[in-house]
Amino acid sequence: MALPTSMKALILKSPGNGAIENTPVPQVLPGSVIVQVLHVLVYPVTPDVFHGTTANPNMTLPYPLVFGSPAIGRVAAIGPDTTAFKPGQLVLVDSNLRARDDPNVSAVWGAFDGFDETTKRFVKETWRDGAWAEYVRAPLESTWALNEDKLIGKLGLKTEDLLHLGLLPVLYSGLRKTDVKAGETVLIAPATGVFSGGCVAVARAMGANVIAGGRSEESLNALKARFPGIQTVKLTGEPSDVAAIQSFGKIDAFVDVGPSASTSATYLNTAMLSVRKGGRICLLGARGDATLPIPYLAMMFNDITIRGSCMFEAEHVRGLIRMAETGILKLSGEGGFEVLASYPFDKYAEALERGREISAGQIVVVNI
Ligand SMILES: NC(=O)c1ccc[n+]([C@@H]2O[C@H](COP(=O)([O-])OP(=O)(O)OC[C@H]3O[C@@H](n4cnc5c(N)ncnc54)[C@H](OP(=O)(O)O)[C@@H]3O)[C@@H](O)[C@H]2O)c1
């Protein structure tokens, strides 16, 4: 099928200065496919990326560009070196941009173009344009086949439900890198945001015994109603938290998903100190603390492993898609997931604002 020559795309000329315009359809290049976009994902940070108001002033973009975020679509054209995709294939397009020849060069497609000149040039010269358009040129490494017969046919999901897969690989990556196994007890705190709630959902699907920590009993009760079977603990940041957490038994791992707003909040100290001897700690939020707030000797005596986790690798996306295709990770209400609202492309501004309201298990979708 020949591609049209022009398409509608949300062009962002500078922070907040965006409009849907006609623009040429991208050409396929080696190492890429052209995807006809069905849905793009809005989560709480998306409006701030659009308006240039994210908490981190280093999150810049190479204007002008086509706005971007994870997408679900169908392969419309394949490159000369494509072997696995065929036109019409349902795919996920993720936002994890990586240079093929240097693992140090990586950026979040559509959200920011990295911290150094090499990464900024990589984004600007090749991957400037994201998926808020009728067609997107996507790197093969960020394009993932989805089994439509299983996901839509057998499990009865809608294509827009599959957009949850646009953010969950981040959490599966952190849990896998921390070696979380079925039957283990994992503390996740905070737990009521989109990413932290996603961590609860994925850990539960992996067979872990999930303890969700947070400040508000009301939010934790709502989380428990969304993800039945989890346990919750109110964290005050006081030393008594350690006993409260340990009352659930030995904590094999703790995953911190604190946003930048939680910088210096003392739940981190007590959560880290609650982990059992030989346990693991994963830092995957965006706290701005310059140092870790835990006693050196407690970490040494208890043989604790602390690690960070940024984005994900191919095996994490493949593994997560398999969990969804087999129904182990349920991307529907049964699994605690919900599409809070979906909007037509020309109502993108309303969609961005609605995105600020979402919490654990929810996404907002724009249909292209
Ligand atoms: N590692 C990676 O590759 C990666 C990728 C994507 C995102 N992230 C990061 O993951 C972070 C978490 O995402 P999210 O969507 O879950 O975040 P979020 O919605 O902004 O916040 C999650 C929770 O943090 C708690 N919180 C907020 N302010 C706090 C404070 N002052 N003290 C203590 N707790 C506070 C709240 O829970 P309670 O009210 O229930 O306590 C809130 O629901 C983001 O900041 C994002 O940058 C990392």
Side-chain angles (χ1 to χ4, degrees), residues 43-45 59 108 167 170-171 173 189-198 213-216 219-220 235 256-267 283-287 308-312 358-360:
Y43 37 51
V45 78
M59 286 181 68
V108 184
L167 67 91
V170 168
L171 297 320
S173 161
T192 53
V194 172
F195 282 95
S196 50
R215 296 169 301 174
S216 145
S219 309
L220 290 171
L235 299 179
D256 180 76
V257 203
S260 67
S262 66
T263 301
S264 77
T266 49
Y267 78 83
L283 307 179
L284 68 67
R287 289 177 54 123
S309 179
C310 183
M311 297 303 277
F312 44 83
I358 60 181
S359 61

mmCIF file of all heavy atoms in Angstrom, residues 43-45 59 108 167 170-171 173 189-198 213-216 219-220 235 256-267 283-287 308-312 358-360, ligand 1:
data_model
loop_
_atom_site.group_PDB
_atom_site.id
_atom_site.type_symbol
_atom_site.label_atom_id
_atom_site.label_comp_id
_atom_site.label_asym_id
_atom_site.label_seq_id
_atom_site.Cartn_x
_atom_site.Cartn_y
_atom_site.Cartn_z
ATOM 1 N N TYR A 43 0.035 10.704 30.073
ATOM 2 C CA TYR A 43 0.111 10.497 31.507
ATOM 3 C C TYR A 43 0.474 11.819 32.173
ATOM 4 O O TYR A 43 0.670 12.828 31.467
ATOM 5 C CB TYR A 43 1.016 9.335 31.919
ATOM 6 C CG TYR A 43 2.270 9.085 31.145
ATOM 7 C CD1 TYR A 43 3.192 10.097 30.895
ATOM 8 C CD2 TYR A 43 2.565 7.826 30.676
ATOM 9 C CE1 TYR A 43 4.363 9.835 30.211
ATOM 10 C CE2 TYR A 43 3.738 7.559 29.985
ATOM 11 C CZ TYR A 43 4.628 8.563 29.755
ATOM 12 O OH TYR A 43 5.782 8.306 29.070
ATOM 13 N N PRO A 44 0.521 11.877 33.517
ATOM 14 C CA PRO A 44 0.545 13.208 34.146
ATOM 15 C C PRO A 44 1.660 14.132 33.664
ATOM 16 O O PRO A 44 1.486 15.354 33.635
ATOM 17 C CB PRO A 44 0.701 12.879 35.631
ATOM 18 C CG PRO A 44 0.038 11.562 35.786
ATOM 19 C CD PRO A 44 0.351 10.800 34.525
ATOM 20 N N VAL A 45 2.815 13.567 33.256
ATOM 21 C CA VAL A 45 3.907 14.455 32.868
ATOM 22 C C VAL A 45 3.736 14.975 31.431
ATOM 23 O O VAL A 45 4.356 15.985 31.046
ATOM 24 C CB VAL A 45 5.271 13.734 33.056
ATOM 25 C CG1 VAL A 45 5.554 12.766 31.922
ATOM 26 C CG2 VAL A 45 6.409 14.721 33.214
ATOM 27 N N MET A 59 15.147 18.907 30.927
ATOM 28 C CA MET A 59 14.345 18.112 29.993
ATOM 29 C C MET A 59 13.962 18.981 28.799
ATOM 30 O O MET A 59 12.873 19.537 28.731
ATOM 31 C CB MET A 59 13.108 17.542 30.693
ATOM 32 C CG MET A 59 13.467 16.400 31.624
ATOM 33 S SD MET A 59 12.058 15.677 32.462
ATOM 34 C CE MET A 59 11.168 14.890 31.138
ATOM 35 N N VAL A 108 14.482 9.873 26.157
ATOM 36 C CA VAL A 108 13.068 9.489 26.205
ATOM 37 C C VAL A 108 12.381 10.212 25.047
ATOM 38 O O VAL A 108 12.253 11.437 25.056
ATOM 39 C CB VAL A 108 12.421 9.841 27.559
ATOM 40 C CG1 VAL A 108 10.979 9.342 27.588
ATOM 41 C CG2 VAL A 108 13.209 9.219 28.701
ATOM 42 N N LEU A 167 3.846 2.246 29.311
ATOM 43 C CA LEU A 167 4.571 2.694 30.513
ATOM 44 C C LEU A 167 5.021 1.554 31.420
ATOM 45 O O LEU A 167 5.963 1.708 32.192
ATOM 46 C CB LEU A 167 3.746 3.727 31.296
ATOM 47 C CG LEU A 167 2.442 3.329 31.979
ATOM 48 C CD1 LEU A 167 2.688 2.892 33.410
ATOM 49 C CD2 LEU A 167 1.467 4.488 31.985
ATOM 50 N N VAL A 170 8.876 0.043 32.163
ATOM 51 C CA VAL A 170 9.762 0.719 33.136
ATOM 52 C C VAL A 170 9.744 -0.031 34.465
ATOM 53 O O VAL A 170 10.786 -0.250 35.100
ATOM 54 C CB VAL A 170 9.273 2.177 33.356
ATOM 55 C CG1 VAL A 170 9.962 2.812 34.551
ATOM 56 C CG2 VAL A 170 9.457 3.012 32.113
ATOM 57 N N LEU A 171 8.541 -0.440 34.881
ATOM 58 C CA LEU A 171 8.391 -1.064 36.195
ATOM 59 C C LEU A 171 8.825 -2.530 36.162
ATOM 60 O O LEU A 171 9.498 -3.015 37.088
ATOM 61 C CB LEU A 171 6.928 -0.963 36.664
ATOM 62 C CG LEU A 171 6.352 0.444 36.884
ATOM 63 C CD1 LEU A 171 7.388 1.374 37.536
ATOM 64 C CD2 LEU A 171 5.806 1.093 35.631
ATOM 65 N N SER A 173 11.043 -3.741 34.236
ATOM 66 C CA SER A 173 12.509 -3.676 34.185
ATOM 67 C C SER A 173 13.088 -3.556 35.600
ATOM 68 O O SER A 173 13.992 -4.309 35.986
ATOM 69 C CB SER A 173 12.915 -2.475 33.331
ATOM 70 O OG SER A 173 14.226 -2.089 33.578
ATOM 71 N N ALA A 189 6.891 1.758 47.361
ATOM 72 C CA ALA A 189 6.468 3.050 47.939
ATOM 73 C C ALA A 189 7.148 4.182 47.171
ATOM 74 O O ALA A 189 8.306 4.032 46.786
ATOM 75 C CB ALA A 189 6.844 3.124 49.422
ATOM 76 N N PRO A 190 6.441 5.295 46.952
ATOM 77 C CA PRO A 190 5.000 5.404 47.053
ATOM 78 C C PRO A 190 4.344 4.427 46.069
ATOM 79 O O PRO A 190 5.047 3.780 45.297
ATOM 80 C CB PRO A 190 4.709 6.859 46.661
ATOM 81 C CG PRO A 190 6.031 7.551 46.553
ATOM 82 C CD PRO A 190 7.074 6.508 46.396
ATOM 83 N N ALA A 191 3.010 4.393 46.056
ATOM 84 C CA ALA A 191 2.368 3.353 45.257
ATOM 85 C C ALA A 191 1.122 3.828 44.529
ATOM 86 O O ALA A 191 0.510 3.049 43.807
ATOM 87 C CB ALA A 191 2.004 2.181 46.178
ATOM 88 N N THR A 192 0.744 5.090 44.713
ATOM 89 C CA THR A 192 -0.558 5.511 44.189
ATOM 90 C C THR A 192 -0.465 6.318 42.896
ATOM 91 O O THR A 192 -1.491 6.749 42.369
ATOM 92 C CB THR A 192 -1.314 6.338 45.252
ATOM 93 O OG1 THR A 192 -0.460 7.407 45.687
ATOM 94 C CG2 THR A 192 -1.678 5.490 46.449
ATOM 95 N N GLY A 193 0.757 6.540 42.358
ATOM 96 C CA GLY A 193 0.893 7.270 41.092
ATOM 97 C C GLY A 193 0.763 6.321 39.905
ATOM 98 O O GLY A 193 0.566 5.114 40.068
ATOM 99 N N VAL A 194 0.886 6.875 38.709
ATOM 100 C CA VAL A 194 0.732 6.053 37.501
ATOM 101 C C VAL A 194 1.871 5.038 37.401
ATOM 102 O O VAL A 194 1.640 3.849 37.145
ATOM 103 C CB VAL A 194 0.689 6.957 36.248
ATOM 104 C CG1 VAL A 194 0.740 6.116 34.983
ATOM 105 C CG2 VAL A 194 -0.576 7.784 36.261
ATOM 106 N N PHE A 195 3.110 5.503 37.619
ATOM 107 C CA PHE A 195 4.233 4.568 37.526
ATOM 108 C C PHE A 195 4.296 3.660 38.754
ATOM 109 O O PHE A 195 4.463 2.450 38.630
ATOM 110 C CB PHE A 195 5.560 5.326 37.323
ATOM 111 C CG PHE A 195 5.731 5.781 35.896
ATOM 112 C CD1 PHE A 195 5.363 7.059 35.513
ATOM 113 C CD2 PHE A 195 6.221 4.926 34.927
ATOM 114 C CE1 PHE A 195 5.479 7.477 34.190
ATOM 115 C CE2 PHE A 195 6.343 5.326 33.605
ATOM 116 C CZ PHE A 195 5.970 6.612 33.236
ATOM 117 N N SER A 196 4.148 4.258 39.946
ATOM 118 C CA SER A 196 4.242 3.415 41.142
ATOM 119 C C SER A 196 3.084 2.423 41.207
ATOM 120 O O SER A 196 3.271 1.252 41.564
ATOM 121 C CB SER A 196 4.304 4.287 42.402
ATOM 122 O OG SER A 196 3.284 5.261 42.413
ATOM 123 N N GLY A 197 1.883 2.854 40.813
ATOM 124 C CA GLY A 197 0.744 1.935 40.762
ATOM 125 C C GLY A 197 0.982 0.843 39.722
ATOM 126 O O GLY A 197 0.608 -0.322 39.918
ATOM 127 N N GLY A 198 1.630 1.222 38.612
ATOM 128 C CA GLY A 198 1.987 0.222 37.590
ATOM 129 C C GLY A 198 2.935 -0.807 38.160
ATOM 130 O O GLY A 198 2.871 -2.003 37.826
ATOM 131 N N GLY A 213 3.150 1.094 50.105
ATOM 132 C CA GLY A 213 3.303 2.104 51.147
ATOM 133 C C GLY A 213 2.931 3.485 50.641
ATOM 134 O O GLY A 213 3.136 3.810 49.465
ATOM 135 N N GLY A 214 2.345 4.309 51.544
ATOM 136 C CA GLY A 214 1.995 5.670 51.146
ATOM 137 C C GLY A 214 1.559 6.473 52.350
ATOM 138 O O GLY A 214 1.491 5.954 53.466
ATOM 139 N N ARG A 215 1.255 7.766 52.083
ATOM 140 C CA ARG A 215 0.952 8.662 53.201
ATOM 141 C C ARG A 215 -0.505 8.660 53.600
ATOM 142 O O ARG A 215 -0.842 9.023 54.725
ATOM 143 C CB ARG A 215 1.337 10.109 52.811
ATOM 144 C CG ARG A 215 2.789 10.323 52.574
ATOM 145 C CD ARG A 215 3.015 11.673 51.938
ATOM 146 N NE ARG A 215 2.300 11.794 50.667
ATOM 147 C CZ ARG A 215 2.226 12.898 49.943
ATOM 148 N NH1 ARG A 215 2.819 13.986 50.357
ATOM 149 N NH2 ARG A 215 1.561 12.904 48.801
ATOM 150 N N SER A 216 -1.366 8.308 52.648
ATOM 151 C CA SER A 216 -2.799 8.506 52.915
ATOM 152 C C SER A 216 -3.549 7.181 52.928
ATOM 153 O O SER A 216 -3.524 6.430 51.955
ATOM 154 C CB SER A 216 -3.363 9.430 51.823
ATOM 155 O OG SER A 216 -4.683 9.075 51.508
ATOM 156 N N SER A 219 -6.081 6.881 50.068
ATOM 157 C CA SER A 219 -5.524 6.498 48.756
ATOM 158 C C SER A 219 -5.106 5.033 48.769
ATOM 159 O O SER A 219 -5.270 4.324 47.776
ATOM 160 C CB SER A 219 -4.289 7.329 48.416
ATOM 161 O OG SER A 219 -4.555 8.674 48.564
ATOM 162 N N LEU A 220 -4.569 4.586 49.898
ATOM 163 C CA LEU A 220 -4.129 3.181 49.967
ATOM 164 C C LEU A 220 -5.333 2.241 49.917
ATOM 165 O O LEU A 220 -5.270 1.179 49.283
ATOM 166 C CB LEU A 220 -3.291 2.944 51.230
ATOM 167 C CG LEU A 220 -1.909 3.611 51.214
ATOM 168 C CD1 LEU A 220 -1.243 3.501 52.574
ATOM 169 C CD2 LEU A 220 -1.006 3.008 50.138
ATOM 170 N N LEU A 235 2.806 5.120 55.730
ATOM 171 C CA LEU A 235 4.170 5.518 56.088
ATOM 172 C C LEU A 235 4.164 6.949 56.613
ATOM 173 O O LEU A 235 3.628 7.859 55.961
ATOM 174 C CB LEU A 235 5.093 5.401 54.871
ATOM 175 C CG LEU A 235 5.224 3.993 54.277
ATOM 176 C CD1 LEU A 235 6.149 3.992 53.052
ATOM 177 C CD2 LEU A 235 5.735 3.001 55.315
ATOM 178 N N ASP A 256 11.644 1.829 45.291
ATOM 179 C CA ASP A 256 11.247 3.226 45.501
ATOM 180 C C ASP A 256 10.850 3.837 44.168
ATOM 181 O O ASP A 256 11.606 3.772 43.195
ATOM 182 C CB ASP A 256 12.374 4.060 46.099
ATOM 183 C CG ASP A 256 11.903 5.496 46.299
ATOM 184 O OD1 ASP A 256 11.148 5.723 47.258
ATOM 185 O OD2 ASP A 256 12.224 6.370 45.460
ATOM 186 N N VAL A 257 9.650 4.417 44.132
ATOM 187 C CA VAL A 257 9.172 5.074 42.906
ATOM 188 C C VAL A 257 8.794 6.517 43.243
ATOM 189 O O VAL A 257 7.843 7.083 42.711
ATOM 190 C CB VAL A 257 7.969 4.295 42.297
ATOM 191 C CG1 VAL A 257 7.849 4.617 40.805
ATOM 192 C CG2 VAL A 257 8.106 2.789 42.467
ATOM 193 N N GLY A 258 9.559 7.128 44.156
ATOM 194 C CA GLY A 258 9.234 8.487 44.611
ATOM 195 C C GLY A 258 9.422 9.521 43.513
ATOM 196 O O GLY A 258 10.458 9.557 42.854
ATOM 197 N N PRO A 259 8.425 10.406 43.324
ATOM 198 C CA PRO A 259 8.574 11.480 42.337
ATOM 199 C C PRO A 259 9.457 12.597 42.881
ATOM 200 O O PRO A 259 9.803 12.596 44.063
ATOM 201 C CB PRO A 259 7.133 11.968 42.151
ATOM 202 C CG PRO A 259 6.495 11.725 43.481
ATOM 203 C CD PRO A 259 7.144 10.478 44.039
ATOM 204 N N SER A 260 9.790 13.575 42.040
ATOM 205 C CA SER A 260 10.667 14.648 42.516
ATOM 206 C C SER A 260 10.010 15.398 43.683
ATOM 207 O O SER A 260 10.718 15.891 44.569
ATOM 208 C CB SER A 260 11.042 15.595 41.377
ATOM 209 O OG SER A 260 9.914 16.274 40.947
ATOM 210 N N ALA A 261 8.657 15.427 43.729
ATOM 211 C CA ALA A 261 7.967 16.107 44.842
ATOM 212 C C ALA A 261 8.289 15.466 46.182
ATOM 213 O O ALA A 261 8.138 16.098 47.227
ATOM 214 C CB ALA A 261 6.454 16.079 44.602
ATOM 215 N N SER A 262 8.731 14.205 46.176
ATOM 216 C CA SER A 262 8.995 13.518 47.451
ATOM 217 C C SER A 262 10.463 13.625 47.885
ATOM 218 O O SER A 262 10.871 12.969 48.846
ATOM 219 C CB SER A 262 8.586 12.047 47.353
ATOM 220 O OG SER A 262 9.411 11.362 46.435
ATOM 221 N N THR A 263 11.242 14.453 47.189
ATOM 222 C CA THR A 263 12.648 14.645 47.558
ATOM 223 C C THR A 263 12.764 14.966 49.044
ATOM 224 O O THR A 263 12.033 15.822 49.549
ATOM 225 C CB THR A 263 13.256 15.808 46.725
ATOM 226 O OG1 THR A 263 13.142 15.463 45.358
ATOM 227 C CG2 THR A 263 14.728 16.047 47.078
ATOM 228 N N SER A 264 13.662 14.246 49.705
ATOM 229 C CA SER A 264 13.983 14.384 51.143
ATOM 230 C C SER A 264 12.884 13.858 52.079
ATOM 231 O O SER A 264 13.048 13.908 53.298
ATOM 232 C CB SER A 264 14.407 15.814 51.519
ATOM 233 O OG SER A 264 13.284 16.634 51.608
ATOM 234 N N ALA A 265 11.784 13.333 51.528
ATOM 235 C CA ALA A 265 10.766 12.728 52.410
ATOM 236 C C ALA A 265 11.381 11.510 53.103
ATOM 237 O O ALA A 265 12.071 10.697 52.478
ATOM 238 C CB ALA A 265 9.539 12.320 51.596
ATOM 239 N N THR A 266 11.111 11.387 54.419
ATOM 240 C CA THR A 266 11.854 10.411 55.229
ATOM 241 C C THR A 266 11.308 8.985 55.160
ATOM 242 O O THR A 266 11.871 8.076 55.760
ATOM 243 C CB THR A 266 11.904 10.865 56.705
ATOM 244 O OG1 THR A 266 10.576 11.207 57.086
ATOM 245 C CG2 THR A 266 12.808 12.063 56.873
ATOM 246 N N TYR A 267 10.223 8.764 54.355
ATOM 247 C CA TYR A 267 9.786 7.373 54.184
ATOM 248 C C TYR A 267 10.910 6.546 53.554
ATOM 249 O O TYR A 267 11.001 5.344 53.754
ATOM 250 C CB TYR A 267 8.504 7.289 53.320
ATOM 251 C CG TYR A 267 8.809 7.456 51.854
ATOM 252 C CD1 TYR A 267 9.242 6.375 51.082
ATOM 253 C CD2 TYR A 267 8.738 8.693 51.228
ATOM 254 C CE1 TYR A 267 9.584 6.528 49.744
ATOM 255 C CE2 TYR A 267 9.078 8.855 49.906
ATOM 256 C CZ TYR A 267 9.503 7.761 49.168
ATOM 257 O OH TYR A 267 9.871 7.912 47.857
ATOM 258 N N LEU A 283 16.050 1.813 43.150
ATOM 259 C CA LEU A 283 15.671 3.227 43.076
ATOM 260 C C LEU A 283 15.269 3.532 41.644
ATOM 261 O O LEU A 283 16.120 3.524 40.751
ATOM 262 C CB LEU A 283 16.845 4.111 43.510
ATOM 263 C CG LEU A 283 17.469 3.766 44.879
ATOM 264 C CD1 LEU A 283 18.632 4.706 45.188
ATOM 265 C CD2 LEU A 283 16.418 3.836 46.003
ATOM 266 N N LEU A 284 13.974 3.737 41.413
ATOM 267 C CA LEU A 284 13.583 4.060 40.032
ATOM 268 C C LEU A 284 12.656 5.257 39.914
ATOM 269 O O LEU A 284 12.066 5.496 38.872
ATOM 270 C CB LEU A 284 13.063 2.826 39.283
ATOM 271 C CG LEU A 284 11.779 2.101 39.579
ATOM 272 C CD1 LEU A 284 10.558 2.930 39.271
ATOM 273 C CD2 LEU A 284 11.721 0.850 38.705
ATOM 274 N N GLY A 285 12.545 6.035 40.979
ATOM 275 C CA GLY A 285 11.730 7.249 40.903
ATOM 276 C C GLY A 285 12.555 8.416 40.389
ATOM 277 O O GLY A 285 13.506 8.234 39.627
ATOM 278 N N ALA A 286 12.208 9.620 40.844
ATOM 279 C CA ALA A 286 12.916 10.804 40.345
ATOM 280 C C ALA A 286 13.187 11.778 41.482
ATOM 281 O O ALA A 286 13.133 12.993 41.306
ATOM 282 C CB ALA A 286 12.083 11.469 39.255
ATOM 283 N N ARG A 287 13.467 11.216 42.679
ATOM 284 C CA ARG A 287 13.786 12.085 43.820
ATOM 285 C C ARG A 287 15.076 12.853 43.529
ATOM 286 O O ARG A 287 15.980 12.352 42.870
ATOM 287 C CB ARG A 287 13.953 11.235 45.089
ATOM 288 C CG ARG A 287 12.641 10.658 45.616
ATOM 289 C CD ARG A 287 12.855 9.763 46.817
ATOM 290 N NE ARG A 287 13.602 10.381 47.892
ATOM 291 C CZ ARG A 287 13.182 10.525 49.153
ATOM 292 N NH1 ARG A 287 11.985 10.086 49.502
ATOM 293 N NH2 ARG A 287 13.937 11.075 50.073
ATOM 294 N N GLY A 308 20.026 1.275 40.914
ATOM 295 C CA GLY A 308 19.107 2.156 40.201
ATOM 296 C C GLY A 308 18.520 1.396 39.026
ATOM 297 O O GLY A 308 18.989 0.314 38.667
ATOM 298 N N SER A 309 17.476 1.955 38.421
ATOM 299 C CA SER A 309 16.915 1.339 37.219
ATOM 300 C C SER A 309 16.329 2.426 36.337
ATOM 301 O O SER A 309 15.414 3.139 36.753
ATOM 302 C CB SER A 309 15.834 0.317 37.582
ATOM 303 O OG SER A 309 15.290 -0.236 36.412
ATOM 304 N N CYS A 310 16.893 2.556 35.141
ATOM 305 C CA CYS A 310 16.411 3.574 34.199
ATOM 306 C C CYS A 310 15.830 2.885 32.963
ATOM 307 O O CYS A 310 16.488 2.029 32.367
ATOM 308 C CB CYS A 310 17.577 4.485 33.807
ATOM 309 S SG CYS A 310 17.044 5.811 32.726
ATOM 310 N N MET A 311 14.616 3.222 32.645
ATOM 311 C CA MET A 311 13.913 2.698 31.462
ATOM 312 C C MET A 311 13.988 1.168 31.416
ATOM 313 O O MET A 311 13.772 0.538 32.442
ATOM 314 C CB MET A 311 14.424 3.355 30.181
ATOM 315 C CG MET A 311 14.173 4.864 30.142
ATOM 316 S SD MET A 311 12.439 5.347 30.316
ATOM 317 C CE MET A 311 11.863 5.158 28.645
ATOM 318 N N PHE A 312 14.325 0.559 30.258
ATOM 319 C CA PHE A 312 14.188 -0.903 30.145
ATOM 320 C C PHE A 312 14.976 -1.411 28.953
ATOM 321 O O PHE A 312 15.428 -0.629 28.105
ATOM 322 C CB PHE A 312 12.710 -1.283 29.983
ATOM 323 C CG PHE A 312 11.965 -0.403 29.006
ATOM 324 C CD1 PHE A 312 12.014 -0.630 27.645
ATOM 325 C CD2 PHE A 312 11.222 0.681 29.466
ATOM 326 C CE1 PHE A 312 11.332 0.189 26.751
ATOM 327 C CE2 PHE A 312 10.542 1.516 28.570
ATOM 328 C CZ PHE A 312 10.604 1.262 27.217
ATOM 329 N N ILE A 358 -4.842 11.670 36.333
ATOM 330 C CA ILE A 358 -4.842 10.211 36.452
ATOM 331 C C ILE A 358 -3.943 9.732 37.591
ATOM 332 O O ILE A 358 -3.005 10.404 37.994
ATOM 333 C CB ILE A 358 -4.447 9.514 35.128
ATOM 334 C CG1 ILE A 358 -3.059 9.926 34.670
ATOM 335 C CG2 ILE A 358 -5.483 9.783 34.068
ATOM 336 C CD1 ILE A 358 -2.649 9.278 33.371
ATOM 337 N N SER A 359 -4.288 8.553 38.097
ATOM 338 C CA SER A 359 -3.462 7.925 39.138
ATOM 339 C C SER A 359 -3.348 6.437 38.832
ATOM 340 O O SER A 359 -3.650 6.007 37.708
ATOM 341 C CB SER A 359 -4.060 8.203 40.519
ATOM 342 O OG SER A 359 -5.348 7.659 40.584
ATOM 343 N N ALA A 360 -2.949 5.655 39.829
ATOM 344 C CA ALA A 360 -2.625 4.235 39.630
ATOM 345 C C ALA A 360 -3.637 3.514 38.741
ATOM 346 O O ALA A 360 -4.849 3.593 38.982
ATOM 347 C CB ALA A 360 -2.575 3.545 40.991
HETATM 348 N N1 LIG B 1 13.352 4.977 36.288
HETATM 349 C C1 LIG B 1 12.763 5.308 35.156
HETATM 350 O O1 LIG B 1 13.206 4.953 34.055
HETATM 351 C C2 LIG B 1 11.484 6.099 35.198
HETATM 352 C C3 LIG B 1 10.630 6.109 34.091
HETATM 353 C C4 LIG B 1 9.434 6.778 34.169
HETATM 354 C C5 LIG B 1 9.099 7.496 35.313
HETATM 355 N N2 LIG B 1 9.987 7.509 36.357
HETATM 356 C C6 LIG B 1 9.713 8.296 37.569
HETATM 357 O O2 LIG B 1 8.827 7.631 38.418
HETATM 358 C C7 LIG B 1 8.315 8.631 39.324
HETATM 359 C C8 LIG B 1 7.014 8.188 39.909
HETATM 360 O O3 LIG B 1 5.975 8.238 38.959
HETATM 361 P P1 LIG B 1 4.451 8.307 39.437
HETATM 362 O O4 LIG B 1 3.644 8.542 38.212
HETATM 363 O O5 LIG B 1 4.118 7.131 40.246
HETATM 364 O O6 LIG B 1 4.546 9.638 40.364
HETATM 365 P P2 LIG B 1 3.494 10.646 40.970
HETATM 366 O O7 LIG B 1 2.125 10.293 40.534
HETATM 367 O O8 LIG B 1 3.965 12.011 40.709
HETATM 368 O O9 LIG B 1 3.639 10.378 42.534
HETATM 369 C C9 LIG B 1 3.463 9.122 43.090
HETATM 370 C C10 LIG B 1 3.126 9.244 44.546
HETATM 371 O O10 LIG B 1 4.168 9.883 45.267
HETATM 372 C C11 LIG B 1 3.635 10.271 46.530
HETATM 373 N N3 LIG B 1 4.137 11.583 46.897
HETATM 374 C C12 LIG B 1 3.943 12.762 46.254
HETATM 375 N N4 LIG B 1 4.544 13.770 46.923
HETATM 376 C C13 LIG B 1 5.128 13.216 48.017
HETATM 377 C C14 LIG B 1 5.869 13.735 49.115
HETATM 378 N N5 LIG B 1 6.151 15.030 49.218
HETATM 379 N N6 LIG B 1 6.289 12.859 50.059
HETATM 380 C C15 LIG B 1 6.026 11.544 49.972
HETATM 381 N N7 LIG B 1 5.310 10.997 48.969
HETATM 382 C C16 LIG B 1 4.862 11.824 48.012
HETATM 383 C C17 LIG B 1 2.107 10.257 46.378
HETATM 384 O O11 LIG B 1 1.640 9.071 47.013
HETATM 385 P P3 LIG B 1 0.858 9.093 48.418
HETATM 386 O O12 LIG B 1 0.048 10.331 48.442
HETATM 387 O O13 LIG B 1 0.046 7.826 48.326
HETATM 388 O O14 LIG B 1 1.885 9.017 49.483
HETATM 389 C C18 LIG B 1 1.934 10.079 44.881
HETATM 390 O O15 LIG B 1 0.741 9.429 44.513
HETATM 391 C C19 LIG B 1 8.206 9.898 38.471
HETATM 392 O O16 LIG B 1 8.711 10.986 39.189
HETATM 393 C C20 LIG B 1 8.990 9.594 37.227
HETATM 394 O O17 LIG B 1 9.914 10.592 36.874
HETATM 395 C C21 LIG B 1 11.150 6.823 36.331
#
